[in-house]
Every structure is written in C-alpha cells, then in structure tokens.
Amino acid sequence: MPGLMGLVLSPILWHHHPPSQLLAPGPRSLWARWLNHSEEGAKQNWFRQALSKPKKLPDSAESSSRDVSQPSSQDDPPPLGLSSALSPTSPPTHVGSSSSSSSRGGRWSKDYDVCVCHSEEDLAAAQELVSYLEGSTASLRCFLQLRDATPGGAIVSELCQALSSSHCRVLLITPGFLQDPWCKYQMLQALTEAPGAEGRTIPLMSGLTRAAYPAELRFMYFVDGRGPDGGFRQVKEAVMRYLQTIS
C-alpha cells in the first residue's frame, strides 16, 4: 500500500487537505500530484548519485596510465618531446639550395651584364661592341636584340624584358638611333626604370656632334666614340665599375 504509506508519512499534507481532495480520482487530484512530485524527486536524486560516482576507466586507458608511471626499459624507444609532437616534421634541406641562392646575388642576380640598344642600321657597330665586351677578360654577358630576342615575341615585351634583365644599358647613339622610334622607347624606358642609378645607363655617341646629344640625357656624361677604339674601352670600364658596386 504505497499510497497509504505516503499519506501516513506526510501528516502535513493530510492535515491541510481533506481526504476528499487527496483521494479524488483523476490526474489533477492532490494525491496524484504528490505522487508525481515524489517520483520526480526520486529520479533526480538517483541521477545526482549516478553523476557523483567515479567512472571506471576502460582497460586500455588504465593500462596506459599505469605504463606512464612505470619507467621505460632500455629497449623502448625514447618518448617524443613536446616540440616534436606538436610541430610537423620539417622537409629535408637540399645541399645545393644555400649555394645556389647565394650565387644568384650581386652580378648573377640578372641574366645579362649589358643590354646594347641600337638601331637596325647600326647592327654592325653593335656587333663589334658586343664582341669586344664578351671577348674581354671580364667576359661580360651581353644582350643583342637580333641574336638574343625570343622569335615570335612582341617587340615591346622583348625590349622591356631585355632592359629589366640587364644590369647596364649601353645606348649606341647615332643618327639612326635618333630617328628610330624603338630606340627612343628603349632610352625612355631605361631612364624610367633606374633614374637615380648612376653608371647603369651608358650613352655612346658615334657620328654626332655634341649639339645633337638627346636632351633627355643632358644630366649624363657620354662616351665619345670618335677615339681609336670607338669608345669601347671606356664602355667596358664603366660597366665593370658598376658591377663592382653590387658585388
């Protein structure tokens, strides 16, 4: 008789409410609500007891915890440190990577030492200058448009690439140079890329008077090509001086 036992154990409930209200049939009676309240309280009490009980570790977790406390034998591999466990394994470094990166500095950071800018009618004079610079003891690397430009490449792209991939630019200024629009473009492009770099742009005047010297180059000294060697030696020395500043 759990209902009567509950009433006996709850005299306060019986005192304040008559039996007609306590024992009235239906889910809304005080008796039914008291039973529901008692059952919910029992469930919550059981749930709190279940949470307070320590959980039993699985066998694998218990064995691992026991292994950590025990000293490792000499045959076991050494445990990984914190840094090696958190950081991924770094890729192996190549032996030649440092030497190749250092060799690309200074003079070797660009493909050419000199880019010779000339008109089409001055191709023979440009070839003589390139042969002199490449055949010297310095073995200067020269860009000659007719020889080194990529076949099928756009003229503007090839001219800009030649200037940007060369340390120095030699402007072979002749009457044909002043009349060639592509030579004028190369001259302005060279001045735009390195306006303040002294020694990079080297004008070589040939077959012209001083009065015909381009106004864009009036703040630069030029090499006079009326000498016995056509000014080739002075051009080579100017290139070597600049290469020494970046080595």
Side-chain angles (χ1 to χ4, degrees):
M1 298 290 291
L4 295 178
M5 292 292 292
L7 291 175
V8 174
L9 296 177
S10 303
I12 299 176
L13 185 65
W14 184 271
H15 175 75
H16 290 281
H17 299 280
S20 59
Q21 296 181 3
L22 293 174
L23 302 178
R28 301 181 57 86
S29 65
L30 294 175
W31 168 245
R33 282 183 287 174
W34 183 85
L35 288 178
N36 293 334
H37 179 73
S38 300
E39 291 176 0
E40 293 295 331
K43 290 179 181 180
Q44 295 179 3
N45 188 24
W46 175 86
F47 188 71
R48 285 194 296 265
Q49 292 179 0
L51 291 178
S52 61
K53 292 182 180 180
K55 296 182 180 181
K56 182 179 180 182
L57 294 175
D59 296 338
S60 57
E62 292 180 354
S63 60
S64 61
S65 61
R66 287 195 300 267
D67 293 341
V68 171
S69 60
Q70 296 176 358
S72 58
S73 60
Q74 296 180 356
D75 297 334
D76 295 336
L80 294 176
L82 182 60
S83 58
S84 59
L86 296 180
S87 60
T89 305
S90 57
T93 55
H94 298 285
V95 176
S97 59
S98 59
S99 59
S100 59
S101 60
S102 61
S103 63
R104 295 298 298 174
R107 175 183 178 183
W108 309 106
S109 61
K110 294 183 179 295
D111 297 332
Y112 300 97
D113 298 321
V114 185
C115 176
V116 180
C117 305
H118 63 90
S119 64
E120 292 184 3
E121 62 183 60
D122 297 325
L123 177 60
Q127 288 176 333
E128 292 180 8
L129 175 60
V130 169
S131 298
Y132 176 84
L133 297 177
E134 292 180 341
S136 62
T137 56
S139 299
L140 297 176
R141 302 166 300 163
C142 299
F143 179 89
L144 188 61
Q145 181 178 352
L146 184 62
R147 180 191 67 183
D148 300 319
T150 304
I155 296 178
V156 176
S157 301
E158 290 295 320
L159 294 180
C160 293
Q161 180 65 26
L163 293 174
S164 61
S165 60
S166 302
H167 287 294
C168 299
R169 301 86 182 260
V170 176
L171 306 179
L172 185 54
I173 303 175
T174 63
F177 184 94
L178 299 179
Q179 298 175 2
D180 192 331
W182 290 115
C183 292
K184 187 76 173 289
Y185 176 82
Q186 279 186 297
M187 178 183 66
L188 296 177
Q189 186 68 20
L191 296 177
T192 302
E193 288 188 3
E198 297 183 2
R200 291 196 65 182
T201 303
I202 306 170
L204 174 58
M205 286 269 288
S206 178
L208 291 173
T209 62
R210 189 180 184 88
Y213 189 61
E216 295 85 354
L217 305 175
R218 62 184 179 273
F219 57 89
M220 291 184 180
Y221 288 109
F222 63 87
V223 176
D224 193 351
R226 293 177 298 180
D229 60 352
F232 291 175
R233 181 181 60 83
Q234 286 183 272
V235 170
K236 183 193 70 173
E237 292 176 353
V239 174
M240 293 301 300
R241 280 195 300 268
Y242 179 78
L243 293 179
Q244 289 176 357
T245 62
I246 62 175
S247 59

